[in-house]
Amino acid sequence: MEDGGRHARFEEVYLAYSGLILAYARRRTPDDAAAQDVVAETFTTAWRRLEDLPPGDEARPWLYAVARRVLANAHRSEVRRAALERRLAAQPPPPVELHAPFDDGAVARAFAALSDGDRELLTLVGWDGLDRDDMAVVLGCSRGAVRVRLHRARQRFARELAAVGVTRTSRTGHGTTRWAIAHPVPEEAR
Amino acid sequence: MTRRPDPIDELRRLDPVDGARLAASWDGSDAKQALFQEIITMPVDTDTPDAHHAVTPPATSMPASPRPRRRVAVALAGAAAAAAALAIVPGLLPDSGSAAYAVRELPDGVLEIDTARGSMDVGDGHSLAAELREFGIATVIETRVASPSLVGDIGVHGPTWDDGRPEGIWWGEDGAADVFTMRIDPAVFTDEITISLNVAAVGDEPYELSASPFEPGEELAGLHCALGEPLRASELAAALDELGVVAIWETVTPTADPAVSQSTPSAGVPDGEVRSARAVRAGEIEVAVVEDGVTVDGTIYGHLFDDGAPCTPERAAAW
């Protein structure tokens, strides 16, 4: 790929997905600087391996997969992180307001009770909005495996929700089946 | 119309990051532009250590085999040596509670995988695959819907292996302490490993792999013990009716070759002895019956009680 084409392709991908990858990373890192480091690592890899980057929307799960691996291998990028943090320190990142404190409420408790693997699956769907095909790419497994794992994770989450007092309610005819807090759970019962 | 409730709906409101707002904020930032400029001035050198270790990009990460592949079946335990893949029986393995397999690099560069440490869940297969990929071993995952007693078993094999062990990969001999320890020399073994994971059926999905429904862990475990030996098809049919289990009946007859029998679907309940059964899906089994007066080779259609489902008083008492 010639230089002009490389730049154009990379810019396209960077503009389209760096914000999503930042959000993905921010949900999994303690602060904005660490999240931006993940973005830097991810798109540095994309730049170097632009020929491997799938076309169109397929780039998205590819980038998530890279970001996921970068997060897992964060310890390997200490040097780059330090350099990046020095650079970003001169250009304060946009503030991120967090909402819905994670330790608040029965749903959070149920979610916290799940395994790391289940939480990752569920957040890829619920927070990052990935579909099964994308998740298969991100996780490096088959779509069928995603389906089964996700089904199980949902079931386990439902069980945990029920255990903390969040149960299913349904009302036919109005399309309003939902989860709701059925009863308070005494502190000592948890 | 009622939508099935999804717990993920609840999860969404816990999202600690408003992705859209964060992305919008990032779009207008100097940091975004600075990072872009920095990256595009980096040299494009895919042989740098960074490019190697940073990621294993999906679908494009499997190294091409530099030599012709041999078809070799890998089994980690002797009991499965004749099979194309090894099914590790969970009950035989110590339950370490470990969430991941142990892949460690020995001083000589050989990778040692203690498969017995893993608990048999799908996630652990992925953990093993991820760990192997970390060490540069091309690993793919496949899943097979299995009947309950087989769920969680993991097979390790090469998609293009025929027989014997591939060069650069080995494991302990039968009966040896390290029978569940696989070793891979990445300098020699450059083929691909497939990890087959037996997973549970969802809903009424048919099983791709199934055991006798009477085996421990299966839907009808021990029922044949309670019904007694020999088990008449009519007795089993009555029991299945009560349980709401559907039976697909077939009769077994001999062929000109005394070592070969054949089975034929039967419209009704055959009048004979149940010799074999297979779980088809939840609530449905396939039953092979040898009708009275017919003699077949006992190798395959021997006796139900020897068909992987030996009886004990406890199993009978459960019914």
Side-chain angles (χ1 to χ4, degrees):
Chain A
M1 196 182 296
E2 63 186 41
D3 281 356
R6 278 189 66 85
H7 283 198
R9 170 68 173 139
F10 180 75
E11 185 172 16
E12 174 193 9
V13 171
Y14 184 80
L15 291 177
Y17 300 118
S18 62
L20 293 176
I21 296 300
L22 179 65
Y24 169 80
R26 185 62 186 88
R27 294 183 182 106
R28 292 158 178 81
T29 49
D31 53 51
D32 294 344
Q36 292 191 33
D37 185 32
V38 173
V39 174
E41 283 277 343
T42 301
F43 282 91
T44 297
T45 299
W47 169 250
R48 287 180 166 149
R49 306 191 66 163
L50 207 56
E51 285 73 17
D52 294 334
L53 193 66
D57 292 342
E58 292 176 32
R60 184 188 180 209
W62 192 95
L63 291 165
Y64 271 89
V66 174
R68 181 171 181 264
R69 178 58 62 89
V70 168
L71 283 163
N73 293 340
H75 66 280
R76 291 174 169 169
S77 57
E78 285 301 325
V79 174
R80 179 174 290 117
R81 174 182 292 115
L84 181 68
E85 284 179 354
R86 281 196 300 275
R87 184 173 63 253
L88 292 175
Q91 301 165 336
V96 175
E97 291 181 28
L98 302 184
H99 61 85
F102 218 46
D103 58 352
D104 183 27
V107 177
R109 288 199 302 278
F111 185 64
L114 299 174
S115 68
D116 290 345
D118 282 353
R119 283 201 299 270
E120 179 179 34
L121 281 169
L122 295 172
T123 56
L124 284 173
V125 177
W127 295 355
D128 297 299
L130 299 186
D131 61 23
R132 289 175 184 171
D133 290 336
D134 287 349
M135 289 171 70
V137 174
V138 173
L139 300 174
C141 61
S142 71
R143 189 177 184 278
V146 167
R147 178 178 59 80
V148 173
R149 291 181 62 192
L150 188 57
H151 175 77
R152 289 176 167 180
R154 280 185 155 111
Q155 285 185 321
R156 283 191 279 262
F157 189 29
R159 282 199 294 271
E160 294 295 341
L161 284 169
V164 297
V166 183
T167 56
R168 286 191 294 187
T169 62
S170 62
R171 189 172 64 191
T172 57
H174 300 281
T176 55
T177 302
R178 59 183 294 273
W179 292 85
I181 303 291
H183 54 80
V185 180
E187 194 66 36
E188 60 272 19
R190 294 199 292 266
Chain B
M1 181 177 174
T2 301
R3 183 173 63 88
R4 187 179 179 186
D6 188 341
I8 290 177
D9 291 343
E10 282 298 324
L11 176 65
R12 289 199 175 97
R13 70 181 177 84
L14 290 180
D15 186 353
V17 171
D18 183 336
R21 278 202 320 155
L22 177 59
S25 176
W26 169 250
D27 277 346
S29 70
D30 291 339
K32 180 180 181 181
Q33 185 60 29
L35 179 59
F36 177 75
Q37 290 298 333
E38 175 150 345
I39 290 174
I40 62 172
T41 58
M42 288 181 176
V44 181
D45 178 5
T46 56
D47 287 331
T48 62
D50 282 343
H52 277 303
H53 83 236
V55 291
T56 303
T60 57
S61 61
M62 303 303 180
S65 175
R67 58 185 168 78
R69 289 177 171 172
R70 296 185 306 150
R71 296 180 66 82
V72 183
V74 170
L76 303 184
L86 168 71
I88 301 172
V89 182
L92 298 177
L93 303 178
D95 180 10
S96 67
S98 169
Y101 286 83
V103 178
R104 67 189 185 104
E105 190 172 16
L106 303 179
D108 59 359
V110 169
L111 304 179
E112 188 174 79
I113 306 159
D114 180 5
T115 60
R117 276 191 51 198
S119 60
M120 299 294 117
D121 198 354
V122 173
D124 295 313
H126 288 283
S127 297
L128 173 58
E131 288 188 48
L132 288 171
R133 288 187 192 126
E134 290 265 356
F135 288 103
I137 302 296
T139 309
V140 296
I141 298 275
E142 65 179 21
T143 58
R144 302 173 297 194
V145 177
S147 64
S149 69
L150 303 177
V151 170
D153 291 5
I154 291 178
V156 181
H157 61 94
T160 59
W161 303 347
D162 266 339
D163 48 38
R165 300 176 186 181
E167 197 176 349
I169 186 168
W170 64 99
W171 54 90
E173 297 298 332
D174 297 0
D178 62 347
V179 66
F180 291 118
T181 301
M182 182 166 67
R183 296 181 184 86
I184 301 174
D185 184 348
V188 178
F189 178 78
T190 55
D191 213 330
E192 180 179 281
I193 286 179
T194 296
I195 298 175
S196 298
L197 306 171
N198 291 356
V199 299
V202 178
D204 65 349
E205 229 177 2
Y207 304 133
E208 297 172 73
L209 293 174
S210 60
S212 163
F214 304 114
E215 285 192 38
E218 293 291 335
E219 192 174 9
L220 304 176
L223 175 62
H224 65 308
C225 306
L227 295 175
E229 179 185 17
L231 177 56
R232 301 291 301 176
S234 55
E235 292 178 287
L236 178 60
L240 295 178
D241 277 347
E242 282 189 20
L243 294 168
V245 173
V246 174
I248 301 170
W249 300 96
E250 57 184 32
T251 55
V252 182
T253 51
T255 66
D257 182 345
V260 177
S261 303
Q262 66 180 11
S263 60
T264 309
S266 172
V269 180
D271 192 10
E273 180 187 347
V274 175
R275 292 289 186 91
S276 178
R278 183 180 73 85
V280 175
R281 69 183 80 214
E284 186 175 330
I285 67 173
E286 190 176 79
V287 186
V289 177
V290 175
E291 293 183 296
D292 295 340
V294 176
T295 302
V296 298
D297 179 77
T299 306
I300 298 176
Y301 295 102
H303 203 289
L304 182 64
F305 293 76
D306 298 323
D307 191 15
C311 283
T312 63
E314 290 77 18
R315 286 177 185 155
W319 297 90

